[in-house]
């Protein structure tokens, strides 16, 4: 299968390219990425055809789509604070960009498009675990634009018969996730602080929980979706239904590093979600053979990458 990964130089995309290339079924991988947050070096050593360009550039997108059998659409402004500062750009890339990707795929008769949405669409205090049929309550431009991403993908299925699948990713972590910007995710921030001998900082009491998903496990689901051309009329949560609080993450890091890590409590951030857990029944129905990496193993691999 010849696949295109949009946003393939980013954290999840580059891991996906690596996992895909390890499987002879996906021997031909192309990436389109404007390198706005992704890095060319994330693809070092991988036999990937990289098109440097924006999904908003029709010519670049058409070149990238040519000859592909399937598309994994990950390109996005993936930062909530960025979207709050600049909602137009988040909308342009995440909403309009998705329509461009879908339209280019339709023009070229591409058989399958899988898109990345986010648990952010559930909003602040959804009933837990969050089921795909729970009313979405996006609180930020990022969340609203991700709701548009999945809605357009599903509308293309209904309107044009294009097989699509929209995943709601929860908190994906693993090697390649950057810690070097002010809004980095919790796990890379904690790993960096611990390795540098600095305290980890919790915004709030550290008892907030997340449904952490190791990146290779997410990639395995995405590639299985492509291989079996799985499509579905509703969005699908991609997580394992776990509730891990931040103290547990730091405790696991302490056991991996073999030393205590100091913890600092800072003021909670406005808009931070307290608990987030996926209802995974639909995922398990569509993907009966899931593999789940234990948090300690995923964290160990992340620490080794740093
Ligand atoms: P990332 O920022 O590392 O990856 C996004 C990639 O898209 C980057 O390489 C960036 O350069 C590229 N990009 C941005 N604008 C582009 C454009 N106009 N044209 C082409 N490429 C462009 O983030 P990530 O964590 O790898 O996220 C990948 C996808 O997963 C995103 O759609 C994000 O919204 C979604 N997601 C991620 C998580 C998570 O936990 N990491 C959770 C929910 C959803």
């Amino acid at each position: 299968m010849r696949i295109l990964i949009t946003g393939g130089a980013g954290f999840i995309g580059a891991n996906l390219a690596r996992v895909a290339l390890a499987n002879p079924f996906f021997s031909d991988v192309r990436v389109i990425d404007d390198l706005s947050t992704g890095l060319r070096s994330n693809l070092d050593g991988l036999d990937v055809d990289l098109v440097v360009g924006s999904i908003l550039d029709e010519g670049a997108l058409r070149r990238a789509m040519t000859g592909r059998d399937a598309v994994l659409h990950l390109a996005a402004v993936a930062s909530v604070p960025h979207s709050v500062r600049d909602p137009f750009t988040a909308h342009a890339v995440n909403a309009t960009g998705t329509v461009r990707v879908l339209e280019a795929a339709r023009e070229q008769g591409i058989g399958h498009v899988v898109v990345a949405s986010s648990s952010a669409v559930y909003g602040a205090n959804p009933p837990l675990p969050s089921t795909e049929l729970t009313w979405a309550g996006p609180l930020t431009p990022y969340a609203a634009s991700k709701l548009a991403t999945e809605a357009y993908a599903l509308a293309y299925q209904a309107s044009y018969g294009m097989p699509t699948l929209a995943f709601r990713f929860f908190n994906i972590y693993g090697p390649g996730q950057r810690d070097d910007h002010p809004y980095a995710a919790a796990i890379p921030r904690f790993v960096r602080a611990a390795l540098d001998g600095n305290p980890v900082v919790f915004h709030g009491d550290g008892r907030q929980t997340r449904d952490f998903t190791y990146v290779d496990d997410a990639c395995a689901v995405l590639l299985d979706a492509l291989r079996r051309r799985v499509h579905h009329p509703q969005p699908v949560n991609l997580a394992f239904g776990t509730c891990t609080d931040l103290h547990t993450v730091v405790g696991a890091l302490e056991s991996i590093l073999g030393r205590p890590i100091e913890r600092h409590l800072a003021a909670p951030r406005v808009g931070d979600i307290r608990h987030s857990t996926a209802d995974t029944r639909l995922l398990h129905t569509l993907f009966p053979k899931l593999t789940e990496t234990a948090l300690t193993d995923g964290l160990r691999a992340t620490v080794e990458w740093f």
Side-chain angles (χ1 to χ4, degrees):
M1 183 177 276
R2 296 160 298 174
I3 63 172
L4 173 67
I5 306 174
T6 75
F11 159 52
I12 298 170
N15 276 292
L16 189 61
R18 174 181 52 76
V19 177
L21 287 167
N23 179 342
F25 190 81
F26 300 102
S27 55
D28 185 340
V29 177
R30 186 179 294 154
V31 159
I32 180 167
D33 201 297
D34 68 354
L35 304 179
S36 50
T37 57
L39 299 172
R40 201 185 276 273
S41 59
N42 283 345
L43 298 170
D44 279 354
L46 298 179
D47 184 16
V48 163
D49 175 16
L50 171 63
V51 176
V52 177
S54 171
I55 54 166
L56 297 174
D57 173 343
E58 233 173 290
L61 188 58
R62 190 171 296 122
R63 273 201 310 286
M65 284 277 177
T66 305
R68 299 293 98 184
D69 300 310
V71 178
L72 271 160
H73 174 43
L74 304 178
V77 170
S79 154
V80 170
H82 184 159
S83 81
V84 173
R85 269 197 329 273
D86 182 1
F88 275 119
T89 302
H91 180 84
V93 177
N94 299 1
T96 307
T98 297
V99 181
R100 286 207 180 277
V101 166
L102 291 163
E103 203 45 24
R106 188 165 79 92
E107 267 170 31
Q108 300 206 21
I110 290 175
H112 196 200
V113 180
V114 176
V115 307
S117 179
S118 167
S119 58
V121 302
Y122 289 117
N125 291 304
L128 296 175
S130 301
T131 76
E132 292 85 350
L133 299 180
T134 309
W135 166 243
L139 295 178
T140 60
Y142 170 74
S145 68
K146 284 279 131 179
L147 196 56
T149 300
E150 62 179 51
Y152 274 117
L154 300 177
Y156 264 63
Q157 189 161 185
S159 297
Y160 306 112
M162 176 191 282
T164 59
L165 190 61
F167 281 113
R168 290 179 175 169
F169 296 174
F170 280 62
N171 287 73
I172 299 185
Y173 75 97
Q177 191 168 29
R178 292 173 65 174
D179 68 296
D180 58 352
H181 58 89
Y183 303 113
I187 287 184
R189 276 194 295 113
F190 293 173
V191 173
R192 167 56 62 209
L195 289 174
D196 290 350
N198 293 326
V200 301
V201 178
F202 296 143
H203 294 281
D205 60 5
R207 295 286 166 212
Q208 54 271 56
T209 61
R210 293 292 179 268
D211 199 339
F212 290 109
T213 310
Y214 186 57
V215 66
D216 280 22
D217 297 343
C219 290
V221 174
L222 293 171
L223 293 173
D224 189 34
L226 289 191
R227 202 176 48 78
R228 296 190 294 116
R229 293 195 182 275
V230 179
H231 56 97
H232 194 73
Q234 288 157 3
V236 182
N237 289 336
L238 204 177
F240 289 98
T242 52
C243 296
T244 306
D245 75 13
L246 301 182
H247 286 285
T248 303
V249 173
V250 175
L253 281 175
E254 288 176 326
S255 66
I256 290 165
L257 297 173
R259 55 184 157 80
I261 299 166
E262 205 183 320
R263 304 162 195 214
H264 277 191
L265 304 187
R269 285 183 300 207
V270 179
D272 264 1
I273 293 166
R274 182 99 184 129
H275 299 294
S276 165
T277 312
D279 182 306
T280 61
R281 283 172 294 177
L282 181 54
L283 182 75
H284 281 277
T285 304
L286 295 173
F287 299 91
K289 291 188 206 151
L290 294 173
T291 46
E292 184 179 353
T293 301
L295 181 71
T296 318
D297 295 335
L299 284 176
R300 189 172 293 111
T302 308
V303 167
E304 280 162 11
W305 175 77
F306 270 80

